[in-house]
Structures are given as C-alpha cells and as structure tokens.
Amino acid sequence: MQVSVLASGSKGNAVYVEMDGVRLLLDAGISATRIKKGLAAEGVDAASLDGVLITHEHRDHIAGLVTLSKWYELPIFTRRATIEHMSCRAAIPAERFHAIEGAFRIGDLTIDPFNIPHDAADPVGYRITGSSRCTLATDLGFVTASVQEAIDGADVLVLEANHDPEVLKHGDYPWALKRRILSNRGHLANADAAWALVRMKKRPAHVFLAHLSEKNNTPELAENTVEEILHRQGLDIPICMTAQDRAVHLH
Ligand SMILES: [Zn+2]
Ligand SMILES: [Zn+2]
C-alpha cells in the first residue's frame, strides 16, 4: 500500500492511495497541475488513476476536479447530493459521475463511504479495504459512534486535527466562523482526534494528522497535543503531520 497526502488543509486537499494495483485519488481540492506533478513525483501517471473519490462539495475538496476530469476522463465517485451541490457540476460530463450510497468495489478493493457530521450536503469519509485498510476522515465536527466504528481497524488512518479550541477562540476569525468551526458540523479539534485514536480497538500502523488550520493550529501544537494524550494513555502510535504546500508520503 502506498499513501501520499499530496496536500491537506483549508486551502486544498488531495490524497493518493494505491493498494492491490488500484490507484485512487481522494478529493481533488488542489489544481490539476499540482495533482499531476504530485503524482509524477511518486512515479505515478495521473492518467493511470482508476477513479476519484470525493468526500464533499466544499471548494477545498474539488477545486481541481474540472480540469482533472478534462485531462483524464476519470470516473468520479461520491454521494448523489454532493454531485448536485457541486458548483462545477455543469462543467463535467454527467457520465463521469457515479452516485454511491453504500460499499462498492473498484478492482479488488472495497470502498466503504461513511457519514461524517459536517456542514455540507452529504459528506462522507472513506474506508478502503484490500490486503490492508486505509481510512480517511477529515472535515468532521466530532467523532460520532459510527465514525469511531468506521475508523477502527485502519492500518493507515488520515484523520483531521483541525484546530486548538483555545487558539481559535482567541484568534481574529469573525464570531460566526468561530461558531461554525467549533460546532458539531464543523471541524475536529486536536484533542478530539487524539481521543478517537485512544478509543480505537486495533492500533493503526500509521496516522496522518490532516486538514490543519493555518490560523488556529500549528503542526507542533497538533502533534504535541495528540502525542501528549496518547502518551498519558500509554499508547505509542506513529503520527505524521501533513502540509498544505507539500506532499507527505508513506510507502
Ligand atoms: Zn468542508
Ligand atoms: Zn475541507
């Protein structure tokens, strides 16, 4: 299994997962050029992707989708309501879209979308299972019981650690935006990410902390907060930080 977080954060998200010969892109929220170059740096031709899985319609998850779709004619998988709410929907031929509901297969992999609480039409995380399991859960206000269940058993987990609530509260965001981020349908705080890891029954081999806020977090703060909680619980889980402007890999 190969996992590369090409970019992660409020300005754009894209994750590449290769497992059992199937090549997937999870979200296309950076430019198609960056996606193409990011994959090329991994030795992967973007034209060889088997599909693009979209979590939800916010711009930081679909900004590169129109151009990517024009260049490579890739199948796009997401929930029907997400397709309907995409600002760029009309610019993409309808036959590229595959509306999904429950689990489906691409090659030998089972792709299992699961609901996440976020202020979008029908947002999902993805659990990808083949010879290993990679799970992505970003853009969620809190870890529901069903999200906790969905992330369990992941070998590689891409989990949101968006903000520190104290930094957010004292920062200069307008109150309405602060309230949105802190709400049950906003973004996940560092400590909440840590507790989700603590509650996992099977320890993941690798965790990427993702979708860090540039204003209300720092990689050091996220890492320290999560490590400290894990340490206090006697857990040792390998954590790596993702970034907005560079790729982070796991081979
Ligand atoms: Zn979002
Ligand atoms: Zn987002």
Side-chain angles (χ1 to χ4, degrees):
M1 173 165 52
Q2 181 183 349
V3 180
S4 294
V5 179
L6 301 178
S8 186
S10 47
K11 290 192 182 131
N13 297 274
V15 179
Y16 170 69
V17 177
E18 186 276 333
M19 199 193 308
D20 302 347
V22 178
R23 296 172 162 184
L24 300 171
L25 188 69
L26 280 68
D27 285 330
I30 52 176
S31 75
T33 302
R34 270 194 72 192
I35 291 171
K36 180 186 174 181
K37 285 185 182 160
L39 291 174
E42 298 291 297
V44 177
D45 181 353
S48 72
L49 287 170
D50 293 292
V52 184
L53 311 179
I54 299 293
T55 58
H56 65 297
E57 72 276 17
H58 289 159
R59 188 175 161 73
D60 58 316
H61 298 262
I62 62 166
L65 194 58
V66 169
T67 306
L68 199 70
S69 165
K70 266 196 194 116
W71 288 352
Y72 305 114
E73 305 184 358
L74 303 168
I76 301 163
F77 301 87
T78 192
R79 288 272 171 82
R80 182 171 301 283
T82 301
I83 298 170
E84 285 165 1
H85 283 80
M86 274 184 192
S87 53
C88 61
R89 180 189 180 190
I92 297 173
E95 64 269 21
R96 301 277 157 72
F97 288 111
H98 299 264
I100 57 166
E101 188 52 46
F104 61 101
R105 308 231 351 137
I106 300 179
D108 288 335
L109 303 185
T110 300
I111 319 290
D112 213 345
F114 56 91
N115 297 334
I116 53 172
H118 187 56
D119 54 357
D122 193 0
V124 293
Y126 286 103
R127 190 168 63 177
I128 301 166
T129 311
S131 53
S132 308
R133 177 176 285 177
C134 176
T135 306
L136 174 129
T138 64
D139 298 71
L140 62 165
F142 72 112
V143 176
T144 63
S146 63
V147 168
Q148 186 70 48
E149 199 177 312
I151 66 172
D152 222 322
D155 297 298
V156 175
L157 176 63
V158 182
L159 181 65
E160 174 165 53
N162 180 259
H163 61 273
D164 182 288
E166 289 308 310
V167 176
L168 176 69
K169 278 178 205 157
H170 295 109
D172 57 2
Y173 272 14
W175 172 239
L177 184 55
K178 288 184 182 177
R179 201 169 50 189
R180 192 208 135 212
I181 294 169
L182 289 168
S183 83
N184 281 345
R185 302 182 74 219
H187 290 278
L188 200 63
N190 296 334
D192 293 339
W195 287 110
L197 296 176
V198 169
R199 287 192 299 262
M200 288 177 81
K201 294 186 200 89
K202 183 191 142 193
R203 210 174 292 182
H206 292 277
V207 175
F208 289 93
L209 293 183
H211 215 299
L212 269 70
S213 168
E214 279 181 322
K215 281 254 162 75
N216 306 307
N217 212 354
T218 64
E220 296 74 29
L221 181 56
E223 192 170 15
N224 290 342
T225 304
V226 172
E227 295 276 13
E228 197 181 308
I229 291 171
L230 293 179
H231 185 71
R232 269 193 268 132
Q233 299 299 315
L235 292 172
D236 181 22
I237 299 174
I239 300 283
C240 70
M241 308 308 296
T242 62
Q244 186 68 87
D245 53 3
R246 63 184 167 81
V248 179
H249 326 273
L250 173 74
H251 291 271

